[in-house]
Amino acid sequence: MNKVVSIESAIGGNSMAAFDVEQARADFPILSQMVYGKSLVFLDSGASAQKPQVVIDAVRECYETYYSNVHRGAHFLSQRCTDEYEKVRAEIAEFINAPSENNVVITSSVTESINLVAQTWGRKFLKAGDEIIVSEMEHHANIVPWQMLETEIGVKVRATPIDDNGEFLLDSFKELLGPKTKLVAITEVSNVLGTIVPVREVIRLAHEQGALVLLDGAQGIVHQGVDVQDLDCDFYGFTGHKLYGPSGVGVLYGKADVLNSMPPYQGGGDMIEKVSFHGTTFKQPPHRFEAGTPPIAQVIGLGAAIRYVKQLGMENIAAHEQGLLAYATEKMNAVDGVRLVGQAREKAAIISFLIDGAHPFDVAAVLDRQGVATRVGHHCAEPLMDRLGVVGTVRASFGLYNNAADVDRLVAAILKAKELLL
Amino acid sequence: MNKVVSIESAIGGNSMAAFDVEQARADFPILSQMVYGKSLVFLDSGASAQKPQVVIDAVRECYETYYSNVHRGAHFLSQRCTDEYEKVRAEIAEFINAPSENNVVITSSVTESINLVAQTWGRKFLKAGDEIIVSEMEHHANIVPWQMLETEIGVKVRATPIDDNGEFLLDSFKELLGPKTKLVAITEVSNVLGTIVPVREVIRLAHEQGALVLLDGAQGIVHQGVDVQDLDCDFYGFTGHKLYGPSGVGVLYGKADVLNSMPPYQGGGDMIEKVSFHGTTFKQPPHRFEAGTPPIAQVIGLGAAIRYVKQLGMENIAAHEQGLLAYATEKMNAVDGVRLVGQAREKAAIISFLIDGAHPFDVAAVLDRQGVATRVGHHCAEPLMDRLGVVGTVRASFGLYNNAADVDRLVAAILKAKELLL
Amino acid sequence: MSTPSTQYEDFADALEMIDDEDMRFEYIIDIGKKVKDVDFPDSLRTDENLMHGCMSQVWIIDEVRDNKHHFRGFSDAIIVKGLVAMMTASFSGLTGDELQEIGTDHVRRLNLGALTTQRQVGMMAMLETFKKFGLTGGGTVAGLRSAGI
Amino acid sequence: MSTPSTQYEDFADALEMIDDEDMRFEYIIDIGKKVKDVDFPDSLRTDENLMHGCMSQVWIIDEVRDNKHHFRGFSDAIIVKGLVAMMTASFSGLTGDELQEIGTDHVRRLNLGALTTQRQVGMMAMLETFKKFGLTGGGTVAGLRSAGI
Ligand SMILES: Cc1ncc(COP(=O)(O)O)c(C=O)c1O
Ligand SMILES: Cc1ncc(COP(=O)(O)O)c(C=O)c1O
C-alpha cells in the first residue's frame, strides 16, 4: 500500500482542501470526450490548454450580445465592447502585477510578442557585434526572431548551456555575459524539460551588465503565475491559449520607458494619432503596437480565463501540479526502461521521456490509441534535441485539470507500449 | 404609394425568392438585443460584422469537443483539429478561387496581411526611389505600412486621386503609373464612400508596367466576393471579422511564385524546416509565413462563416445589399439638409453622410440613442477626410441582415437628429 | 458630498428629476444649444486652449478673479458643448483649494446613464484639468501641458 | 478495383477480417516488427533513398527486374515500418504502366480507421513515389527529386 500513500500525499494533502480537481475537471467540457472508445486523458496542455466553460461562454456571450469593433465607435455596442475589452487589459496588468494597463500590449501570440520586440526594439537599438543570449533549451519562438536579426543586423546570438539533467547553468551564463550583451532572452520554464530557470538571478546579473531581459513566459505563467515588477524583467511575453484562454491572443508586457522608446511594429488603424501623406504620427504605447482590429472576443475570453485561474488560486494550481509531477515522476521512474529526459531540481509539471529501444513516435502512437494524448517530436526546440542527442521525446504536460487517475492511465499506456513495441 | 413600390422593387423583386432577409436575421442572435430600450438597428458592419449562430457554434464546438494545438501533434484531438483547420484553408482557397490552398496564408487580420507583404516582399524587392501607388481613399492599413517603407528604404508612396463624387480616376492613375512603379496597393471598395474601384483595369494597367498589385479586399469580399485568378491580382488580403467570421483572423492570398520568392515574416514554431544555432531553414509557403500557434478556433469559425455566405449565395447577398443601397440612397436624398458623401456610379452598400449645420458626432450620438448604430469619425481614412474637406462623416454600412425597416429607422433617426440638433 | 455651487445643484436636481434617459440626453443637448458662438469667440479657440484626447475639439479657459477660478469652454459638437457648459458652470467660482475637494462623485452626479464611457472619461479629464488649474493658480491648457502637469 | 498482387489481397483481407480498430493497429505494429534491420542494411539508409516530408524517416528503393518494379523500404519507427512493408509488398512486381493504374482507393483499402490523417497522407505520398518510379523506369528518390518529378 506504499504507493497509495504516496498518491495521497502527492496529490491530496494540504492542497486538497483548497483545490478540488474533480470539481475543476467538470468545468472543462472537452474532458468528457471519448477517444477511440476510451475516455480522454489529456496530457498535452503544454502545447495548448483546454478551455473551461466560462471561457467558452464569455466568447459566445460577446458574439451573441454585445460584439462590435472596439475603440472606433461611439454607439452603444461599440462602447460596451470597448469597455469589456479594455477592462481585460487592466485585469491582465493586475494578474502579472504590471504598474499599469499601459504596459500591456495585446498581440496574437507570444511568438508575435517576441517578434515585436525583435523588430522594433531590436532593429532600433542593436548593431553589428551586439550579443543576445538565449539558452540551449529555448522554444523556436525565442530563437528564430533573434537569428533573423543576426542575418539582418549582424548581432550575435549566443546560447547559454544546460547540463545533462536540463539544469540551467548560472556560472556558464555569467561567463557569457559581457559588455557586448544587450539582451538576454530566456524562457522561464522549458517547454520540453520542465526546468524552472532561475530567472531572478538571470535578470539581476544581466542588469548588472546593462543588458535588458525578455522572459518567454509561455510555460511559466501557466504553472506559477508571475510578478513582473518583482522579477524586474524588461519584457515578458505569454500566450493566451496555454493559460486556458482562447487561441489567437497573446500579451507583451514591457517597462514603460522601454515601450516608449520603441517605434511602431505594424502600421494600420488604431495605432496612429494622425495620418497624412505628408507625415504620420503614432499613438503612445500600448496602442502604438496594436495595429488593426485586435482579437476582440479572444481578449474577452482571456479575461475570463484569468478570472478563472485566479478564483482557483495560482498557488493552489501550482501545488496541485507539483503533486502530480512528483507522483508521475515516481511512477514512471519505477517502470523499467523508461528514461525521463530533464531532471532539474526545480521543475514545472512537464515530463519528457523515452522508452529504451522504442521510437518516440511509436510510443506516442500507442499512448494515443489508449486515449492518452501526449506530444512527440522536437517540441519546437530542435537545438535542445541536438544538445540532448535525441531525435525527439514523448512529452506529458499537465494542466490544472489532470488528476492521479490520468497519471495511472499514462503509466498503464506506457506498459502497453512496451508490450507492443519491444 | 410611390415610395412603397420602390421599396418592393429595391428590396424585394427577384432577389426575394432567393434570399429571405427575415430568415437570415434570425441567424444572428445579437440582432434581438435592445439598445436603450429600442430594438437594435445595426448599421456598422463595415467596422465589423455580426456573427451568425453557425459561426458562434463552430467556435464553441471546437473548444468543447476537439480543440488542440495543430500541426505538431500525433494524437487524436490534434489530428482532428488540424484536419478541420486545414480544411478551412482549402475552403478559403475555393471561396476566392485561389489555385491551391498553398496560396492562402492565415494571418490575424488584413492589417497584418498588408504589413506582411510590406515587411517581406517590400524589404526584399524595393529600393530607394521605387514607387508604390495607393489611392486617396485608402484605409490607414493600406497607407501606414507603405509609409513605414518610405522611412526605412526610401521608396515613395504616391496617392492616386479621386473626384468629388469619390470616383476613382483611371486616367490620373495611368499618369502616375510609370517604370518606377513597383507596387499598386489599392482598396477594392472604399470603406468610407462605398466606391467600387475598377480593379480589373487597375491590375491590367499595373501589370503592363511590370508592377505588382495588392488588393485590400477587407470591404470588397464582403459585398461582392472575389475571384483572385480572374482578377489576376498578385496579393489579396481580407479580414475574417467583416465577413461574419470571428475576430482575430485574416487572410493573405499571394501568387505562388511571389510567395515563394518572399523571406519569412515572423520567426517561431511551425514556419521552420530545421532550426539550429548554426543555421535555420524555413518551410515553403504558406507555412513559412505562419509562425507560432495560429488562430485555431478563429480559422474554424471563419470556415463556418464562408459556408454560411456561400449557402446564402454571394450574388443573392450582393443583390439584396444593392437593393438596400438604392432604397436608402433614395430615402436619404429626400431628406432636406442631408448630404451623401460619396456618389460613385458603382457603390457597395456603404453610405457616408452629413447633416448640414450639425456636427457628425452629434448626429451619430442622436442616432445611437434611437438604437441606430452607425460609425462616426475619420473611419481610419484621414487622408480621405482631408481630401473631402470634412472632419469626419457618419457612416451607415449594411450587412446581409439589414432590411428595409432598418433603413426606415435610420431615416427616422436622421429626422430626429435634425429636430434635436438644428 | 459638498455643494460646489448653486449651478451645480440646479443641474444635478434637474437631471435627477428627469427619469427618462432619452430626456436627460435631450436636456444636455438643450444646454449645448444655448451656448452661442459669440459666448466663446474664435479668438479663444486656439491650440493654447485646446484639450487633447477628446473625440471632438474642446477648448477651456480659466479666468482667475479674487483667487477664484472661473471657467469657460466650448466645443464644435453640441452634446460636448452641453457637457462643457455644465462642467464649467458647476465648478466655477471656487478657490484652488476648494477645487481640490471636487471628486469624481461630483461629476458622476451630473453624468447620468445617458453618456457613453468615452464621454464620462472626457468629463473626468475636464475635472482633472480644472483641478490642475486650481493647483497652479491659473494659466492655459497648453501651459499646464508644457509644465508637464 | 483491380488486384495489384496477392500480397495486397492478403493484407486487405486480413485487415478487413479484424473488426476491432485497436487490433488492426496492433496488426500493423506486428508487420513492422517483422521487418528486421538486416532486411534493409545501413548502407541503404542514405539521403539518396530518403523520402522527405515524413514524420519519421522513411527510405525507399526500387529494384527493376524484367521491367517490373520491386520496392523495399524501411523506417526508424515500427508503425511506419509496418506501413512501408505493406505498401512495398503490395505494389511490387508491377510494370510502370500497371503502377499508373493504382489509385488512392487501393491504398484506402489498406489504411483503415486506425491511422491518423498524417499517416494516410504519408501512405499516399509513398504511392505517388511508386508511380513516379513507374513513370521514369526506376532510379532513386533523390533522383526523382532532382528531376523535379
Ligand atoms: C478597406 C479596409 N482595409 C483595411 C481594414 C482593416 O481591417 P482590420 O482592422 O481587420 O485589419 C478595414 C477595416 O477596418 C477596411 O475597411
Ligand atoms: C516556451 C514557449 N515559448 C513559446 C511558445 C510559442 O507559443 P505560441 O505558439 O502560442 O506563440 C511556446 C509554445 O508553443 C512555448 O512553450
Side-chain angles (χ1 to χ4, degrees), chain B residues 36 38 357 359 361-362 365-366 368-370 376 391 416 418-422, chain C residues 21-22 25-26 29-30 33 55-56 76-80 113-116 119:
Chain B
Y36 311 115
K38 291 123 193 154
H359 194 288
F361 281 105
D362 288 327
V366 175
D368 176 43
R369 287 251 36 128
Q370 316 306 310
V376 61
V391 292
K416 178 85 180 177
K418 284 183 60 181
E419 177 199 323
L420 287 181
L421 298 171
L422 300 184
Chain C
E21 277 194 13
D22 285 348
F25 178 75
E26 294 178 18
I29 291 179
D30 280 339
K33 281 168 93 167
M55 277 215 310
S56 29
D76 46 357
I78 286 184
I79 297 169
V80 179
L115 295 180
T116 60
R119 290 237 162 73

Side-chain angles (χ1 to χ4, degrees), chain C residues 76-93:
Chain C
D76 46 357
I78 286 184
I79 297 169
V80 179
K81 199 150 53 178
L83 296 173
V84 171
M86 277 169 58
M87 290 289 289
T88 50
S90 293
F91 304 117
S92 279

Side-chain angles (χ1 to χ4, degrees), chain A residues 69 72 269 291-294, chain B residues 46-48 108-114 137-142 187-192 216-220 238-242 249 350 379-380 395:
Chain A
N69 210 330
R72 304 182 209 165
T293 302
Chain B
S48 197
S108 56
S109 65
V110 68
T111 297
E112 178 165 79
S113 302
I114 298 172
M137 56 186 166
E138 296 308 316
H139 187 281
H140 294 162
N142 201 23
T187 193
E188 252 191 312
V189 167
S190 159
N191 66 313
V192 179
D216 173 354
Q219 299 292 339
F238 68 96
T239 210
H241 66 92
K242 295 189 206 260
V249 57
I350 294 171
H379 313 293
C380 294
R395 182 186 72 181

Side-chain angles (χ1 to χ4, degrees), chain A residues 46-47 109-112 114 139 141-142 187 189-191 216 218-219 239 241-242 380 395, chain B residues 69 72 291-294:
Chain A
S109 65
V110 67
T111 297
E112 179 165 79
I114 298 173
H139 188 280
N142 200 22
T187 191
V189 167
S190 160
N191 66 313
D216 174 355
Q219 300 291 340
T239 208
H241 66 91
K242 296 188 205 259
C380 295
R395 181 187 71 181
Chain B
N69 210 330
R72 305 181 208 167
T293 303

